[in-house]
């Protein structure tokens, strides 16, 4: 290419990557007994001289990751040939083009497989934009002008709760004192809590050992999966509370297991162990159900959001007074753009955001969003923690760094989304070296491949 | 096969079928200017001696139909080898297995591409079950024991609004007088309304001509698409009202175009034309938004539901008092099983169901559900109409028959879902004879293929 030719997106490469986590019961909970943490992974390649790529992914838990890849493939035509400058200076235009595709939107609209694919692609553009700006994403966002950030948001269906002018006002006020907060962030990091002790598949000894280690490692909150069996849950909560003492926050997570009445009764039965929040007590779609549960289980807080399909559901969770804690997810909604809307909605309603990160790569992504929120939106880390799960990080080129129960602010340019090439080669399904060796063996053992 | 071997599902064949409807502006509305009505189509084949197949589909509007087919393909392993007797005597077990797949559910849960694929497969089983019972589906359902119907429903997340005992009670009471209603249904049919005059792409002359023809054909309600331009909408509503006179119901449909405030203002500006309902005034996810709109625009009714992703959203629309008219869709939720729940929820809250059928094959499906509702649930057709759109029916083996503004009760066994083999051969994308000839021609004209 001649050097004066504007750089374009030349390829949109997609990968079905699956990690065999189910064999260790890492990630096991009441609804997801055997997840194989997976990524429908996308790389945007360009002909720019800088050689940068944009990486993004949708997180899934195994089967169906191929469907998620098919959805990424369906977006290729929207990306190939686009100007890199135009994409990176205004990711919002791509986001609107994708969510507004008049035929594709029938598959949602703005929910499920198609919307997660849009989020992956949009996040890949933000990764590319941050690399080109030579900044970690949290800093690119925190340095951006409020007017530009507002233009990145689709206010459709939001204006009864948040208008562009109100968002602009929140962002202008949010910047005040950002310098001091940035210094503190760089020194101390952003507080984390850990789910690692609490997977449902772990026995009580492992729970005790990991819970004590979490406290020793500086965490002030841990989380337990609950919802499969009440007697087990009472025993596990008692075990965990005994292990960590009265001053550590103990959150419990039902992963959508209950109906409204059952959620109220079950949470009541665990109240003696002083749970800090009950997470996903019922269907993520049940806004009114969460509101009813919250009224009944106070002072136990209600937390949800990892499966909130889009900003419209989040808006209603806030309008209905259904949540004490909003758990955004970096890879379920329409990417950074929609999460900007979600952070501002939460700020408008004064509800703390504690991102969901139980998955592969989710810790890497959400830290940027939480740090931006601290610097430029809510301005505080009070009652705010990012989930931390301590596996699969070594597959990433820029893995999270946890120090004394805090996420260290990333310094590498980008969105920390890139997997190591050797991990891609090994865990691509079914042709990567791990699966190519494993699947025939599983079949020989008589298990379905 | 030896004749004593239990029959099994031997193949799950999937097809990407697209009709080039965008070229005629049939189906054009404020959000969907250029739909190519499409079906991600599935055929269950068995080794039963009777030779019956089960047909089902998800409806899409073009791009992304391949993603929908990929989702169907992801379900193949759940079906192949299953006992045909077991499937057909209890489709609810399959429905629960599919929605409960611990890995696939992450892709929803119960929404979007993956859930529509589940609905297509579940509906194909009902088609097969009805063929084997030698009954049209409406009759299979109406003849079924209430206890069995209740077992077909997943009450998870519903019990704060509808319990199994309440559902059983509704179904027992619903049967009273069914014999007389069946005689009336067979004689008169089920009332329909028509959307055919009102597509946004039609000019005023065509609107007037088609509206008058609708009245002459016996329809007592027509529907206009609105929401792109207010001045146009005022003119088109005036034109339509002049064409049909004061006694025909004139529904308007915004196809999710507005925010809450805009919906209230726009509907107010059309009030002088006495609209019967405003359909999809805002996001299908915005339960609280619909409730706010309904409070503001009364006596104009609020109708929605074609994009309601599952029974949990429908439950909340009813709990929140957000709808006057519930428009179930046969191919968006998890098939007949979930629509049984939706019909019972509507009955519990006393809200009439007027099914959505703007698409390909949707008229063929929903008539069975509405007729069952009339015979065995609500027991009435008062303020109830099934949408009718007069295109693409000739592609079906058992197309709907409209007589004097009414759907004639189907008599052929099954769910009326089967496309003609020659239509499949012609409109399979991109290899069918139509597209194989058309796509190179479009490319030559310089349009993207």
């Amino acid at each position: 290419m001649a050097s004066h030719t504007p750089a374009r997106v030349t390829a949109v490469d997609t990968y079905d990557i699956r990690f065999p986590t189910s064999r260790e019961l890492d990630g096991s909970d009441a609804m997801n007994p055997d997840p194989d943490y997976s990524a429908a992974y996308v790389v945007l390649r360009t002909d720019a001289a800088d050689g940068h790529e944009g990486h993004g992914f949708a997180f899934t838990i195994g089967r169906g990751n191929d469907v998620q890849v098919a959805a990424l493939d369906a977006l290729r035509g929207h990306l190939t040939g686009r100007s890199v400058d135009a994409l990176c200076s205004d990711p919002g235009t791509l986001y609107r083009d994708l969510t507004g595709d008049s035929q594709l939107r029938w598959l949602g609209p703005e929910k499920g497989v198609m919307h997660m694919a849009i989020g992956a692609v949009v996040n890949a553009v933000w990764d590319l934009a941050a690399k080109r700006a030579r900044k970690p994403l949290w800093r690119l966002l925190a340095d951006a002008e409020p007017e530009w950030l507002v233009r990145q948001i689709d206010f459709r269906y939001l204006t009864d709760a948040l208008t562009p002018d109100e968002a602009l006002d929140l962002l202008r006020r949010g910047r005040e004192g950002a310098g001091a907060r940035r210094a503190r962030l760089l020194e101390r990091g952003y507080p984390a809590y850990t789910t690692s002790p609490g997977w449902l598949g772990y026995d009580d000894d492992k729970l005790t050992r990991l819970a004590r280690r979490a406290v020793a490692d500086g965490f002030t909150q841990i989380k337990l999966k609950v919802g499969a069996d009440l007697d087990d849950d009472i025993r596990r909560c008692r075990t965990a509370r005994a292990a960590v003492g009265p001053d550590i926050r103990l959150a419990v997570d039902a992963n959508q297991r209950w109906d409204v009445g059952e959620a109220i009764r079950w949470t009541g039965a665990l109240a003696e162990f002083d749970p800090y929040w009950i997470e996903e007590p019922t269907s993520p779609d049940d806004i009114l159900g969460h509101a009813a549960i919250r009224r009944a289980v106070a002072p136990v807080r209600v937390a949800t959001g990892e499966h909130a399909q889009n900003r419209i559901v989040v808006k209603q969770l806030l309008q209905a007074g259904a949540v004490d804690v909003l758990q955004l997810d970096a890879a379920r909604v329409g990417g950074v753009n929609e999460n900007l809307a979600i952070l501002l909605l939460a700020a408008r309603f004064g509800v703390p955001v504690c991102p969901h990160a139980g998955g592969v790569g989710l810790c890497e992504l959400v830290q940027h969003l939480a740090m931006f929120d601290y610097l430029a939106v809510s301005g505080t880390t009070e009652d705010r923690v990012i989930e931390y799960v301590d596996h699969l990080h070594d597959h990433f080129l820029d893995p999270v760094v946890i120090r004394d129960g805090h996420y260290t602010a990333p310094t590498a340019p980008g969105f920390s989304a890139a997997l190591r090439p050797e991990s891609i080669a090994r865990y691509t399904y079914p042709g990567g070296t791990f699966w190519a060796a494993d699947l025939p063996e599983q079949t020989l053992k008589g298990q379905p491949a």
Side-chain angles (χ1 to χ4, degrees), chain A:
Chain A
M1 303 289 289
S3 61
H4 62 275
T5 310
R8 303 276 166 187
V9 174
T10 53
V12 178
D13 293 333
T14 59
Y15 305 86
D16 180 346
I17 295 166
R18 307 190 192 189
F19 299 97
T21 46
S22 62
R23 300 182 193 180
E24 299 295 324
L25 298 180
D26 298 336
S28 56
D29 64 50
M31 292 293 262
N32 311 296
D34 58 351
D36 284 328
Y37 280 8
S38 301
Y41 191 77
V42 60
V43 181
L44 307 182
R45 302 187 203 278
T46 82
D47 56 11
D50 60 23
H52 290 312
E53 299 166 347
H55 293 239
F57 56 86
F59 167 61
T60 84
I61 59 174
R63 281 186 295 282
N65 203 46
D66 48 337
V67 181
Q68 196 57 61
V69 170
L72 289 174
D73 290 337
L75 300 175
R76 186 172 283 116
H78 276 287
L79 285 152
T80 311
R82 282 226 189 202
S83 154
V84 174
D85 278 345
L87 273 179
C88 292
S89 64
D90 178 23
T93 294
L94 175 73
Y95 162 66
R96 285 187 182 82
D97 286 353
L98 296 179
T99 57
D101 179 300
S102 67
Q103 296 187 347
L104 287 176
R105 76 181 296 284
W106 194 269
L107 302 185
E110 300 188 66
K111 61 181 66 76
V113 167
M114 206 64 236
H115 200 49
M116 291 197 282
I118 289 170
V121 163
V122 167
N123 281 346
V125 169
W126 283 95
D127 180 56
L128 181 60
K131 286 173 181 163
R132 285 164 55 95
R134 297 181 193 159
K135 293 179 180 180
L137 181 73
W138 63 267
R139 207 176 137 180
L140 179 143
L141 293 171
D143 290 348
E145 289 300 321
E147 292 78 5
W148 182 83
L149 286 169
V150 167
R151 286 199 304 275
Q152 293 305 306
I153 294 171
D154 183 359
F155 286 90
R156 174 167 273 183
Y157 306 134
L158 294 189
T159 55
D160 56 325
L162 179 71
T163 66
D165 283 347
E166 290 163 346
L168 187 60
D169 189 50
L170 283 168
L171 285 164
R172 283 183 179 148
R173 281 190 283 124
R175 304 180 95 181
E176 291 163 18
R181 288 194 296 279
R182 191 164 94 180
R184 184 165 167 74
L185 175 69
L186 291 170
E187 183 203 329
R188 186 74 177 108
Y190 193 105
Y193 77 94
T194 177
T195 305
S196 296
W199 301 113
L200 213 55
Y202 291 175
D203 63 32
D204 288 359
D205 285 348
K206 190 167 183 179
L207 166 57
T208 297
R209 182 163 41 85
L210 293 176
R212 286 186 179 148
R213 189 196 295 167
V215 177
D217 287 346
F219 293 100
T220 56
Q221 178 176 329
I222 66 169
K223 189 165 81 184
L224 255 61
K225 300 293 185 174
V226 297
D229 181 278
L230 180 56
D231 290 337
D232 278 354
D233 287 348
I234 290 172
R235 195 193 68 250
R236 293 172 64 253
C237 283
R238 179 174 291 127
T239 302
R241 181 52 83 198
V244 301
D247 299 330
I248 297 293
R249 288 178 176 175
L250 176 63
V252 296
D253 182 357
N255 288 88
Q256 315 168 20
R257 181 70 182 219
W258 303 316
D259 280 26
V260 171
E262 199 178 10
I264 293 168
R265 288 189 298 274
W266 203 301
T267 305
L270 299 178
E272 62 174 303
F273 308 109
D274 188 22
Y276 183 65
W277 75 49
I278 172 66
E279 178 173 333
E280 287 204 306
T282 190
S283 164
D285 305 341
D286 199 345
I287 295 150
L288 301 178
H290 278 88
I293 294 166
R294 180 168 177 251
R295 285 192 297 271
V297 305
V300 179
R301 291 162 186 77
V302 168
T304 195
E306 71 180 80
H307 273 85
Q309 63 207 29
N310 57 37
R311 69 196 181 285
I312 305 152
V313 168
V314 170
K315 177 188 77 167
Q316 293 174 85
L317 287 169
L318 295 164
Q319 288 174 318
V323 287
D324 298 281
V325 174
L326 185 66
Q327 303 179 296
L328 67 72
D329 184 287
R332 183 162 292 276
V333 300
V336 171
N337 299 76
E338 192 159 22
N339 268 322
L340 290 173
I342 288 170
L343 288 171
L344 287 163
L345 281 165
R348 173 109 172 106
F349 284 85
V351 168
V353 173
C354 297
H356 167 249
V360 57
L362 298 182
C363 296
E364 276 67 21
L365 299 189
V366 293
Q367 61 180 339
H368 291 273
L369 301 173
M371 290 174 189
F372 161 69
D373 178 71
Y374 173 51
L375 296 184
V377 184
S378 73
T380 178
T381 58
E382 196 179 329
D383 289 335
R384 286 157 171 88
V385 273
I386 307 173
E387 183 169 21
Y388 174 65
V389 184
D390 71 349
H391 56 184
L392 303 174
H393 300 292
D394 49 347
H395 297 297
F396 286 84
L397 285 171
D398 181 29
V400 295
V401 177
I402 300 290
R403 210 175 51 202
D404 192 25
H406 287 66
Y407 277 80
T408 303
T411 54
F415 200 178
S416 310
L419 283 165
R420 293 183 175 280
E422 56 270 31
S423 294
I424 294 175
R426 184 161 163 74
Y427 291 104
T428 294
Y429 186 91
T433 51
F434 174 83
W435 293 110
D438 184 77
L439 291 174
E441 193 181 316
Q442 295 292 322
T443 307
L444 283 175
K445 283 195 229 155
Q447 299 176 20

